């Protein structure tokens, strides 16, 4: 347990009165969960280590590498060019586990826990996406790669964009899933789902309202944004965000959105030239991801993932792995036909 987690744990020894569960916030959350969630996924693996051989598939290992702000946890397997995977909120590297073995046939797959989340150290600051991208790049370089292909979902896609923009000669291809870019459409979502402004609220507002007992209710609502909720390993993520310090790290990524938007707008003239795959779920963003990234990139290839909501890598893993193998130039697709945009 990190020093930050120990501090947060001590502060939670005397929880606030439980009458707060009768507040309007908890009532709304409970109603939303009833509407949008189903039974938890069966594929729960709480026994994955943080170092050494992985258990979810042969040939993968867990490790940690020191970067600015503290050590970053990663899971690595395969051989060949580096394919770096960056997860979204409220998830961890585990969101990629269904597609990692297939992509490791032709790549060195590196799935990273974002700083502050999963099993990575919790930085004292620097949750803006440009700073986070620099930390991820440090990890990639220390793992022996000066060039990489990037695959990011949600929050991870925002970080992957900053990585590609700030180090364009080091990123050969970029795939972004299920988010518009800050400063170029992300803000339009704030009125659609209240979790944006809740997470962005200054400390300690969300920290005080959301205590340990509320995690399953709140994150359960978030996983309701899936089209096939039974495919999402929500129990893994409930455990990953059980720590108050981890939840605060997640809020800090959201609190940095205004700074991210300003940074992206100020640097929009530095348009990306590498191929960019922009994928949205059929029942979520659809082509909206591509519409956003066309404002900052030259070669944007829109793809709509069928039979998926927000959590595409878990809801339709076969489609994502087949499309990614084509786009990243790694081999022939599987039996499922792919859009032309997936091709190299």
């Amino acid at each position: 347990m990190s020093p930050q987690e120990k501090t947060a744990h001590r502060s939670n020894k005397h929880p606030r009165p439980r009458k707060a569960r009768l507040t309007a916030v908890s009532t709304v959350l409970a109603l939303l969960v009833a509407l949008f969630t189903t039974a938890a996924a069966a594929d729960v693996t709480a026994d994955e280590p943080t170092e050494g051989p992985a258990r979810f598939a042969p040939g993968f290992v867990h490790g940690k590498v020191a970067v600015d702000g503290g050590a970053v946890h990663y899971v690595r397997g395969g051989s060949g060019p580096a394919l770096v995977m960056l997860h979204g909120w409220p998830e961890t590297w585990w969101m990629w586990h269904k597609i990692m073995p297939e992509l490791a046939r032709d790549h060195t797959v590196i799935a990273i826990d974002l700083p502050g989340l999963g099993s990575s150290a919790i930085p004292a600051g620097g949750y803006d996406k440009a700073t986070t991208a620099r930390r991820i790049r440090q990890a990639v370089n220390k793992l022996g790669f000066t060039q990489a292909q990037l695959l990011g979902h949600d929050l991870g896609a925002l970080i992957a964009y900053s990585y590609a923009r700030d180090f364009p000669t080091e990123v050969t291809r970029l795939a972004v899933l299920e988010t518009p870019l800050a400063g170029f459409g992300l803000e339009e979502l704030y009125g659609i789902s209240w979790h944006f402004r809740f997470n962005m609220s200054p400390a300690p507002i969300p920290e005080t309202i959301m205590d340990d007992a509320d995690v399953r209710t709140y994150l359960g609502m978030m996983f309701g944004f899936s089209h096939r909720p039974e495919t999402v390993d929500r129990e893994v993520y409930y455990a990953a965000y059980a720590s108050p310090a981890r939840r605060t790290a997640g809020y800090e990524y959201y609190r940095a959105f205004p700074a991210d938007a300003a940074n992206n707008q100020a640097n929009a003239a530095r348009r990306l030239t590498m191929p960019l795959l922009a994928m949205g779920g059929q029942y979520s963003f659809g082509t909206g991801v591509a519409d956003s990234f066309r404002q900052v990139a030259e070669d944007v290839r829109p793809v709509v993932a069928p039979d998926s909501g927000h959590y595409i890598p878990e809801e339709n893993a076969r489609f994502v792995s087949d499309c990614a193998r084509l786009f990243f130039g790694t081999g022939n697709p599987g039996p499922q036909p792919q859009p032309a945009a997936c091709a190299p």
Side-chain angles (χ1 to χ4, degrees), residues 95-148:
M95 72 167 296
W96 304 111
H97 80 281
K98 295 179 182 178
I99 69 172
M100 290 168 66
E102 184 71 15
L103 296 181
R105 292 170 56 185
D106 308 285
H107 271 95
T108 300
V109 170
I110 305 170
I112 292 177
D113 273 334
L114 299 182
L117 305 180
S119 296
S120 291
I122 302 174
Y127 288 89
D128 64 279
K129 308 313 167 288
T131 298
T132 305
R134 289 194 292 273
R135 289 169 171 166
I136 298 299
R137 174 180 177 257
Q138 287 179 339
V140 172
N141 290 170
K142 287 191 174 184
L143 291 173
F145 296 92
T146 55
Q147 282 197 326

Side-chain angles (χ1 to χ4, degrees), residues 231-250:
T231 64
V232 180
D233 287 341
R234 63 183 66 196
E235 294 291 339
V236 173
Y237 308 125
Y238 295 156
Y241 290 86
S243 159
R246 298 290 180 191
R247 296 198 296 275
T248 289

Side-chain angles (χ1 to χ4, degrees), residues 92-306:
T92 67
W93 75 270
W94 181 253
M95 72 167 296
W96 304 111
H97 80 281
K98 295 179 182 178
I99 69 172
M100 290 168 66
E102 184 71 15
L103 296 181
R105 292 170 56 185
D106 308 285
H107 271 95
T108 300
V109 170
I110 305 170
I112 292 177
D113 273 334
L114 299 182
L117 305 180
S119 296
S120 291
I122 302 174
Y127 288 89
D128 64 279
K129 308 313 167 288
T131 298
T132 305
R134 289 194 292 273
R135 289 169 171 166
I136 298 299
R137 174 180 177 257
Q138 287 179 339
V140 172
N141 290 170
K142 287 191 174 184
L143 291 173
F145 296 92
T146 55
Q147 282 197 326
Q149 297 172 320
L150 305 180
L151 172 58
H153 174 268
D154 185 79
L155 182 63
L158 304 180
I159 296 164
Y161 165 74
S162 291
Y163 191 147
R165 182 198 66 197
D166 294 344
F167 305 100
T169 63
E170 299 179 23
V171 177
T172 56
R173 283 178 174 257
L174 170 64
V176 293
L177 279 57
E178 271 295 297
T179 186
L181 185 62
F184 294 92
L186 183 64
E187 300 73 22
E188 297 175 12
L189 302 179
Y190 294 173
I192 296 175
S193 177
W194 63 269
H195 83 276
F196 284 99
R197 294 207 180 276
F198 178 80
N199 287 1
M200 292 167 65
S201 298
I205 294 174
E207 286 88 346
T208 302
I209 294 174
M210 191 70 55
D211 71 9
D212 294 354
D214 300 320
V215 170
R216 295 175 66 87
T217 303
Y218 185 40
L219 299 192
M221 181 201 74
M222 300 307 304
F223 297 131
F225 294 141
S226 56
H227 177 62
R228 300 172 59 212
E230 74 281 358
T231 64
V232 180
D233 287 341
R234 63 183 66 196
E235 294 291 339
V236 173
Y237 308 125
Y238 295 156
Y241 290 86
S243 159
R246 298 290 180 191
R247 296 198 296 275
T248 289
Y251 302 146
E252 291 296 341
Y253 279 113
Y254 276 74
R255 288 166 178 152
F257 280 174
D260 298 333
N263 179 271
N264 290 342
Q265 290 171 345
N267 291 282
R270 296 160 58 188
R271 295 176 64 83
L272 303 187
T273 58
M274 75 284 294
L276 188 156
L277 181 76
M279 184 183 294
Q282 178 183 1
Y283 297 99
S284 188
F285 287 112
T287 59
V289 181
D291 293 340
S292 174
F293 279 87
R294 282 193 186 98
Q295 300 175 78
V296 296
E298 298 291 341
D299 184 4
V300 177
R301 305 173 183 195
V303 172
V304 176

Side-chain angles (χ1 to χ4, degrees), residues 16 50 54 79 83 89 111 129 145 149 152 192 195 216 229 308 328 337:
R16 57 185 172 85
T50 57
S79 62
L83 175 55
W89 182 91
K129 308 313 167 288
F145 296 92
Q149 297 172 320
I192 296 175
H195 83 276
R216 295 175 66 87
S308 295
F328 291 117

